[in-house]
């Protein structure tokens, strides 16, 4: 994980030189009301995932948002109380 994809101070992404392995580290989410325990990349389907979460009555902790760094995401609370970041990049 020697290639730094980006680093905003509170979130950074590192990857292997071939790009096949990626890890993203979050120390505290600067743009959401709560920190998530995990991020799930749903790609271009993030809008559909958001509508499905609302349809099922899941608690939306952070609404669907286009972040300044090109990520479209929302946070949902899992039944166990953990907050999950559902995300996709706007260029997908």
């Amino acid at each position: 994980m020697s290639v730094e994809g980006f680093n905003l101070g509170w979130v950074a992404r590192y990857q292997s030189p071939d790009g096949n392995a990626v890890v993203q580290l979050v120390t505290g989410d600067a743009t959401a009301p709560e920190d998530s325990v995990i991020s799930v990349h749903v790609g271009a389907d993030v809008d559909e995932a958001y509508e499905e979460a609302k349809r099922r009555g899941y608690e939306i902790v952070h609404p669907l948002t286009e972040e300044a760094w090109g990520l479209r995401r929302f946070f949902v609370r899992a039944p166990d109380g953990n907050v999950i970041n559902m995300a996709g990049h706007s260029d997908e």
Side-chain angles (χ1 to χ4, degrees):
M1 304 297 179
S2 59
V3 178
E4 185 176 272
F6 71 85
N7 188 334
L8 300 177
W10 59 273
V11 59
R13 183 174 61 218
Y14 301 92
Q15 62 192 46
S16 60
D18 64 8
N20 288 328
V22 177
V23 66
Q24 188 161 301
L25 306 173
V26 180
T27 58
D29 199 310
T31 64
E34 290 189 46
D35 292 337
S36 61
V37 296
I38 191 169
S39 291
V40 177
H41 185 264
V42 295
D45 295 331
V46 70
D47 291 271
E48 287 178 41
Y50 183 67
E51 291 304 319
E52 180 69 12
K54 289 192 320 184
R55 186 184 70 71
R56 291 177 179 248
Y58 295 158
E59 179 187 351
I60 304 297
V61 177
H62 181 63
L64 186 60
T65 304
E66 180 87 24
E67 301 291 0
W69 60 92
L71 190 70
R72 238 173 119 62
R73 68 181 183 156
F74 69 96
F75 288 13
V76 64
R77 190 172 312 279
D80 65 1
N82 286 310
V83 176
I84 301 170
N85 177 12
M86 305 291 290
H89 287 88
S90 56
D91 60 356
E92 293 178 311

